[in-house]
Amino acid sequence: MKLEKNWRYKTIEHLEKVKWPCHEFNSFLVNRMQELRKIPLNKFTTEDLRIMIGQEIGLYYLIPLALEKLTDNLWAEGDFLKVTS
């Protein structure tokens, strides 16, 4: 599969040509995934990449972006807090 021209400036929704139905869940994760599908990839933060890659969404597009971030900063991390007991 070949990437579209200017793919970094497009949304996952546009690139995958799939529009998810609107659902309102009482879940931050579900709501955030739906929001992120509509945000251009060049606007994604490290945390946005973590969320979507963790849910296996848009991997074809997001893995190259994540690898670039890690190449720039091997210790890049999102906002995920580790809970220890």
Side-chain angles (χ1 to χ4, degrees):
M1 180 155 112
K2 188 177 176 187
L3 290 173
E4 290 187 27
K5 213 175 199 182
N6 301 320
W7 63 274
R8 294 168 190 266
Y9 301 95
K10 297 181 180 178
T11 66
I12 291 175
E13 194 171 86
H14 175 87
L15 292 165
E16 291 183 344
K17 297 175 178 54
V18 174
K19 187 172 182 178
W20 282 6
C22 290
H23 293 292
E24 297 224 6
F25 290 100
N26 192 17
S27 164
F28 169 79
L29 182 60
V30 173
N31 291 331
R32 186 64 182 147
M33 288 185 304
Q34 287 191 331
E35 291 169 2
L36 289 171
R37 288 184 50 80
K38 299 172 191 281
I39 295 174
L41 299 182
N42 67 319
K43 303 285 186 190
F44 268 47
T45 65
T46 301
E47 177 65 6
D48 297 337
L49 290 169
R50 184 196 69 78
I51 288 171
M52 297 299 269
I53 290 171
Q55 296 301 311
E56 298 182 8
I57 297 170
L59 296 179
Y60 183 79
Y61 306 102
L62 299 180
I63 294 294
L65 295 177
L67 290 174
E68 284 177 11
K69 284 199 181 272
L70 290 171
T71 298
D72 291 341
N73 176 7
L74 185 58
W75 306 110
E77 58 182 295
D79 301 329
F80 183 73
L81 299 174
K82 294 179 182 164
V83 177
T84 57
S85 21

